[in-house]
Amino acid sequence: MRCLKLSRSANQVVDFNSRNLIFSSLNKLGFRSLVTSCRAVVLPRFGGPEVLEIREDAQVPALKPNEVLVRSRAVSVNPLDLRIRSGYGRSILEPLLPLILGRDISGEVAAVGDSVKSLHVGQEVFGALHPTAIRGTYADYAILSVEQVASKPASISHVDASAIPFAALTAWRALKCTARITSGQRVLVIGGGGAVGFSAIQLSVAAGCFVSTTCERESIDRVLAAGADQAIDYTTEDFELAIEGHFDAVLDTIGGTDTERIGINVLKHGGHYMTLQGEAAPMSDRYGLAIGLPLSTALLLKKQIQYRFSHGIEYWWTYMRPDPEGIDAIRRLSELGKLKVPVQKTYPITQVKEAHEAKEKRLVPGKVVLEFD
Ligand SMILES: NC(=O)c1ccc[n+]([C@@H]2O[C@H](COP(=O)([O-])OP(=O)(O)OC[C@H]3O[C@@H](n4cnc5c(N)ncnc54)[C@H](OP(=O)(O)O)[C@@H]3O)[C@@H](O)[C@H]2O)c1
């Protein structure tokens, strides 16, 4: 493989079209990895927003055959980014520091690996990395496998596109891969105002399901406009009493003791309860990987058996997983305007600390996106 070093300053002197033409021509000539270093937001140690460092010389590894180099135009801030920054998953991630945070991305293909035929240099794409990826997307150039990206819908901006994949793929994993929802079924989304919950509502509506959800007053109009049949303001109503009927699937984005109890009690026989707050990482962090992981697996199995006998339901911890079928379906729905994650505020990537602080202090409750110059 031939490799050409292109620094960020060199990158800045040519406009988008010229750069894409150069990248495309070089790619065809066999120069697979055009960038060897770039600017990135690096996490050298766990802590508050102040630990984040912008470095100009983060390494860009050579592309593997199935990988795509994406020039970032926008990356969204997910709760997972904040949690990892604070030490969540330290049992796995601590030895791998320094890390680059970020899962979501929207940008342009800058280079493709040898076996990638479905994408070309200059193409606009969006996608998301696996939750445990150590080289994230808060960088001028990110590397994703070809299964983790899809063509960006032309009708939406990079900012709007970057807000969708991680959240929507999490909802997809729960509803389509685990519960396998079908038309006419009833779905309850606990926490429908957030990015995952709101995506879950829209995926369920698109699948032809009847949807109930709980959220704060500020989110009620938005979830009803997205097609939810029932929206309960959990801050003023007793949502256990307000929920109507029984459900085939419950996606619990909150995962508290009460939401779990209520979610399980409102399921039909054979229904699926899925929480986003699985115990694998917290228990591994608390007891170390060697004890925490088997302990959490035992806890999950115990709960699965217990609820199967006591309620006749299936109990799951849901984790986001990249899924080529999922990202393609998400692309189609986004293109049709049937799947959106509203962006409340954008920050330049240089203000990543401010963006994390705003999310952490809930100064901005909605989606925050970091933009690249
Ligand atoms: N297991 C996994 O793989 C996985 C993957 C993704 C996320 N998660 C976890 O799931 C949880 C939810 O994630 P998320 O990405 O959906 O978080 P999020 O978008 O930050 O939403 C969190 C909460 O913020 C409120 N909110 C969001 N947008 C709002 C707006 N525009 N106006 C008012 N309130 C708003 C919502 O409250 P209301 O619902 O009360 O309105 C929502 O429940 C997090 O704990 C995250 O760590 C887990």
Side-chain angles (χ1 to χ4, degrees):
M1 188 178 73
R2 300 150 91 190
C3 185
L4 180 78
K5 181 170 170 127
L6 194 70
S7 71
R8 198 170 77 84
S9 50
N11 191 16
Q12 280 171 334
V13 298
V14 284
D15 64 34
F16 280 130
N17 292 340
S18 316
R19 198 193 50 241
N20 284 341
L21 193 67
I22 296 166
F23 276 16
S24 175
S25 310
L26 291 169
N27 217 214
K28 280 179 194 151
L29 289 170
F31 290 101
R32 289 296 176 209
S33 183
L34 300 166
V35 185
T36 55
S37 69
C38 74
R39 178 180 58 171
V41 178
V42 169
L43 180 74
R45 62 184 188 286
F46 300 120
E50 71 286 350
V51 301
L52 297 173
E53 283 177 16
I54 297 181
R55 291 192 190 160
E56 295 292 331
D57 58 350
Q59 217 201 345
V60 180
L63 289 184
K64 295 191 182 113
N66 69 331
E67 286 180 336
V68 183
L69 184 70
V70 180
R71 182 181 187 274
S72 311
R73 299 291 300 277
V75 299
S76 93
V77 176
N78 279 291
L80 182 64
D81 304 344
L82 275 70
R83 292 171 88 173
I84 291 180
R85 195 209 64 227
S86 310
Y88 177 83
R90 65 168 66 235
S91 55
I92 300 170
L93 298 175
E94 194 151 34
L96 303 169
L97 290 171
L99 308 173
I100 298 176
L101 293 177
R103 311 291 100 179
D104 275 322
I105 189 165
S106 183
E108 296 148 5
V109 174
V112 294
D114 287 331
S115 63
V116 176
K117 304 291 175 230
S118 55
L119 298 170
H120 59 83
V121 170
Q123 190 171 347
E124 295 192 321
V125 291
F126 73 143
L129 287 163
H130 191 274
T132 57
I134 55 163
R135 193 184 190 284
T137 57
Y138 288 9
D140 282 333
Y141 291 91
I143 295 175
L144 293 91
S145 79
V146 67
E147 295 85 21
Q148 293 172 333
V149 293
S151 199
K152 179 184 81 67
S155 53
I156 60 173
S157 66
H158 282 295
V159 165
D160 288 338
S162 73
I164 299 171
F166 191 79
L169 281 163
T170 305
W172 175 272
R173 176 98 192 131
L175 298 172
K176 301 293 275 192
C177 305
T178 303
R180 297 178 184 275
I181 56 167
T182 53
S183 180
Q185 288 193 325
R186 295 169 58 86
V187 176
L188 171 64
V189 179
I190 302 178
V196 179
F198 194 55
S199 301
I201 292 169
Q202 296 167 92
L203 289 176
S204 304
V205 169
C209 297
F210 176 97
V211 185
S212 291
T213 190
T214 66
C215 58
E216 281 179 294
R217 186 169 45 82
E218 292 76 32
S219 305
I220 294 271
D221 290 345
R222 179 163 53 90
V223 299
L224 290 174
D229 299 276
Q230 187 191 16
I232 302 159
D233 174 0
Y234 67 87
T235 62
T236 55
E237 287 182 76
D238 182 337
F239 96 80
E240 191 168 6
L241 296 176
I243 294 171
E244 293 159 1
H246 284 84
F247 295 85
D248 298 281
V250 172
L251 177 59
D252 184 354
T253 72
I254 312 298
T257 316
D258 271 352
T259 56
E260 180 167 314
R261 177 183 57 76
I262 298 168
I264 280 162
N265 282 336
V266 299
L267 275 171
K268 290 179 186 168
H269 192 86
H272 296 261
Y273 170 85
M274 297 155 292
T275 172
L276 297 185
Q277 312 298 342
E279 289 286 333
M283 286 182 94
S284 299
D285 290 346
R286 204 174 312 136
Y287 303 113
L289 203 56
I291 296 172
L293 208 55
L295 211 56
S296 64
T297 308
L299 174 65
L300 175 61
L301 275 171
K302 177 180 161 278
K303 285 191 164 205
Q304 287 182 323
I305 293 165
Q306 175 193 326
Y307 288 130
R308 204 169 290 162
F309 277 102
S310 60
H311 292 72
I313 62 113
E314 302 297 323
Y315 176 96
W316 306 99
W317 293 343
T318 290
Y319 294 100
M320 180 275 183
R321 188 179 288 181
D323 176 328
E325 195 189 326
I327 189 75
D328 200 46
I330 287 160
R331 177 191 60 75
R332 274 186 276 113
L333 289 172
S334 310
E335 206 153 49
L336 294 170
K338 294 182 175 178
L339 178 52
K340 295 175 191 157
V341 174
V343 175
Q344 190 173 355
K345 194 167 163 77
T346 65
Y347 292 82
I349 187 71
T350 48
Q351 288 181 15
V352 61
K353 290 181 191 180
E354 289 84 343
H356 268 230
E357 200 167 300
K359 276 303 291 176
E360 203 143 84
K361 293 182 174 166
R362 273 189 70 88
L363 303 173
V364 184
K367 193 60 145 174
V368 162
V369 167
L370 303 167
E371 285 188 276
F372 289 73
D373 42 68

